[in-house]
Structures are given as C-alpha cells and as structure tokens.
Amino acid sequence: MLSYRHSFHAGNFADLLKHIVLVEILDYLIQKEAGFEYIDTHAGAGLYSLSSVEAQKLQEYAGGIGKLDAEDFPELARYFEVVGSFNPAKALEFYPGSPAIANFFLRSQDRAWLHELHPRDYELLCENMSGSKISRVQRQDGFAGLNGLLPPVRRRGLVLIDPSYEIKSDYDRVVTYIVNGHKKFSQGIFALWYPVIDRRTIDKLQAKLIKSGIRNIQRFELGIYADDYARGMTSSGMIVINSPWTLFNKMSQVLPKLAQQIGEANSGHFKCDVLAPE
Ligand code: SAM
C-alpha cells in the first residue's frame, strides 16, 4: 500500500535540485528539431497547489523554492520561467511537478510517458495532463513501464526515475532497471533522484552503478545540512547518465550558490562530480 503523497513535499529543496536538472536537460533536448521521448517512471500528481492542506501542513516549499529570489539566480532563468508560467499572478501559488515541467517543453513531435501507481495521484495526474495531446498517463509500475518502452521509437530521450523510496527495495530496483535500460538504450539520458538519509545506502547504490561499467555518469547533490542520520533527509541528489554537455558547467556554477542560500545555519551542502567518465 503506497502512502507517500508528493503534495506534502512539492517545491522543497529536493524538488529544487531535481527540477533544475530536469529543466536543463529538456531545454537542451529541444534545441534539435528531431522528436524525443520523455519517460517519467514515478510521475506524482503533476501539479501542486501550495495552498492545499497537504502543502501547508509542513510548508516544505518555504525551505526550497521559497528561499530563492529569481533575481539572484540569473543562471536559473529558464527554471523560473517554467515555474512562473504556472503562476501568472506572480505570487507563488502552484508548483509544477515533473510532468507539468516536461509538458512546458515538449513539442508535437515529442512524447511523454507518465507512470503513477497511487490511485488518487493517478486521478489528479490524469486531470492535470488532460490538455496534453502528447502525454500518455499510465496507472502502472513505472519500472515495468520503462522496460516496455525501451528502446524508444524516436531513439532520443530522457528517462526520469524518481521513486519515493518508501519501499526499501527501490534502492536496488533503480540500479537494476537503469542497467537493463541502458543496455537497450545506451545513448539515452537517464536521470535518477535519490535522498541522502543514510549515506551508506547511497554509497552502495552508486558503487553498483559504477561497477556496471556504464560510462558518462555525473552526480549532483544539494542539501540543507552535511550528512546526519539523526536529522532524516539532509540532502538529495541526481545521478545523470549521458548528461548534455552543458549541464555540468551549469551545475558547478549554481550549486555552491544554492547550497549557501538554502543551507540551514550556514551549513548547506553540495556535490558536483563525475562518477564514471565518458
Ligand atoms: N516525479 C515527481 C515530480 O518530480 O514531480 C514526483 C514523484 S514522487 C517523489 C514519487 C511518486 O511515485 C509518488 O506519487 C508515488 O505514488 C509513485 N510511485 C511509487 N511507486 C511507484 C511505482 N512502482 N510505479 C509508479 N509510481 C510509483
């Protein structure tokens, strides 16, 4: 039984990192006319009202996007443009999830495949994406869905794997499905989100990916504290395989600034490195 609801967390510091990376990759993919496929294995509800009871309960967005002023981050103009497009009245009322962000970029020649298992979030996702002719919403296990979609018909694409990890086996499943997916679609971009709660779990996950022999793996991490098991999730990361050449430079510029801005008690944390070279 799934109990995780992303509506409690939308716009927090983990979404910030994930969606900055997502925006940069999608913006890169649309530079070419050729169509591509976007596969979101764990899509969530798609779009979130920050005045909902859920978002207001912990107000996590206040420690994420709520801490940023677009004027201080000209490097993130595209990210703020996307978020702003859902907030025409200027005040931050809605926060876009990964499906809505993808839909901002995708063109008629592209396709989005969105998987969501939670019954209520699946319904909300269908409602939120009902205006999108190029998105297909599936109430299906995202890992199984991914396996069936690779290699994509268009041979260009991005896979976003963003589980909630409430089922501990997800830490193993993400590696298995990336390694198998990469065998079928070695030129594809794979982006995996992970939480840093217990660093040892993440070290194991990353060691398995490196051992798989996959090349061109980059890691970006952003957190509000240095690792501290007692505090719960102190940071989160994105592992990107076959990253666009522009991403690493962008992240190395912006992550130190972001860590300083969102860090609690001046102890923000970031990583920007290469786990496996090209
Ligand atoms: N990617 C979304 C975004 O960036 O806006 C957030 C996704 S949230 C972290 C994870 C979602 O995955 C939850 O809505 C959960 O219900 C869903 N989920 C969990 N296990 C799943 C599975 N095996 N297949 C598809 N969806 C799953």
Side-chain angles (χ1 to χ4, degrees):
M1 179 64 190
L2 294 168
S3 57
Y4 178 91
R5 305 290 309 278
H6 198 66
S7 43
F8 287 91
H9 312 287
N12 68 3
F13 72 89
D15 264 5
L16 204 57
L17 172 76
K18 184 200 316 172
H19 295 153
I20 287 170
V21 169
L22 180 62
V23 163
E24 291 299 320
I25 297 174
L26 290 166
D27 202 23
Y28 172 86
L29 282 167
I30 61 165
Q31 303 304 317
K32 278 196 186 153
E33 203 43 43
F36 68 91
E37 305 199 20
Y38 169 72
I39 302 172
D40 197 329
T41 57
H42 297 71
L47 181 68
Y48 304 93
S49 162
L50 296 180
S51 55
S52 69
V53 174
E54 293 96 324
Q56 284 301 317
K57 186 157 183 205
L58 301 169
Q59 299 193 1
E60 288 192 15
Y61 63 88
I65 186 158
K67 280 198 167 174
L68 301 193
D69 188 335
E71 285 179 9
D72 298 333
F73 287 90
E75 313 87 337
L76 300 181
R78 202 69 161 126
Y79 168 77
F80 284 109
E81 182 191 343
V82 179
V83 176
S85 73
F86 296 93
N87 295 285
K90 295 265 187 274
L92 188 62
E93 289 172 18
F94 291 94
Y95 187 80
S98 49
I101 293 173
N103 197 50
F104 177 93
F105 288 96
L106 268 58
R107 308 151 302 175
S108 57
Q109 63 268 46
D110 306 320
R111 287 291 172 278
W113 306 93
L114 312 171
H115 305 83
E116 176 51 49
L117 270 186
H118 191 287
R120 181 63 190 135
D121 281 343
Y122 167 76
E123 277 173 14
L124 291 168
L125 182 62
C126 290
E127 278 170 33
N128 285 324
M129 303 313 293
S130 60
S132 169
K133 292 200 176 81
I134 41 114
S135 300
R136 303 279 176 277
V137 180
Q138 335 245 38
R139 187 171 170 191
Q140 183 192 11
D141 171 41
F143 293 112
L146 172 65
N147 195 35
L149 287 166
L150 296 183
V153 178
R154 286 164 182 75
R155 302 278 162 172
R156 289 182 79 216
L158 165 63
V159 176
L160 174 66
I161 303 180
D162 180 23
S164 48
Y165 296 91
E166 60 180 315
I167 302 166
K168 295 295 162 239
S169 57
D170 277 351
Y171 288 101
D172 293 324
R173 279 186 102 193
V174 295
V175 177
T176 304
Y177 280 85
I178 287 177
V179 172
N180 291 341
H182 186 267
K183 283 185 188 137
K184 293 186 184 182
F185 185 36
S186 59
Q187 71 276 37
I189 303 172
F190 292 81
L192 168 70
W193 179 84
Y194 61 86
V196 181
I197 299 165
D198 180 351
R199 174 64 66 182
R200 290 165 303 180
T201 310
I202 300 309
D203 285 347
K204 273 190 221 153
L205 183 161
Q206 289 171 356
K208 280 195 258 171
L209 271 181
I210 293 167
K211 200 171 163 214
S212 74
I214 295 176
R215 311 293 294 167
N216 197 3
I217 310 179
Q218 297 176 354
R219 167 175 63 174
F220 309 109
E221 240 179 54
L222 176 66
I224 48 175
Y225 293 108
D227 295 356
D228 183 350
Y229 186 73
R231 287 187 194 269
M233 183 174 76
T234 49
S235 38
S236 79
M238 288 289 276
I239 291 176
V240 184
I241 298 170
N242 294 331
S243 174
W245 67 272
T246 47
L247 185 63
F248 195 85
N249 278 351
K250 174 63 69 85
M251 297 311 285
S252 53
Q253 273 173 30
V254 84
L255 278 170
K257 275 176 77 179
L258 282 170
Q260 199 174 24
Q261 187 64 27
I262 66 150
E264 298 287 344
N266 291 326
S267 58
H269 154 95
F270 75 94
K271 280 183 200 278
C272 181
D273 52 13
V274 173
L275 295 182
E278 282 188 53

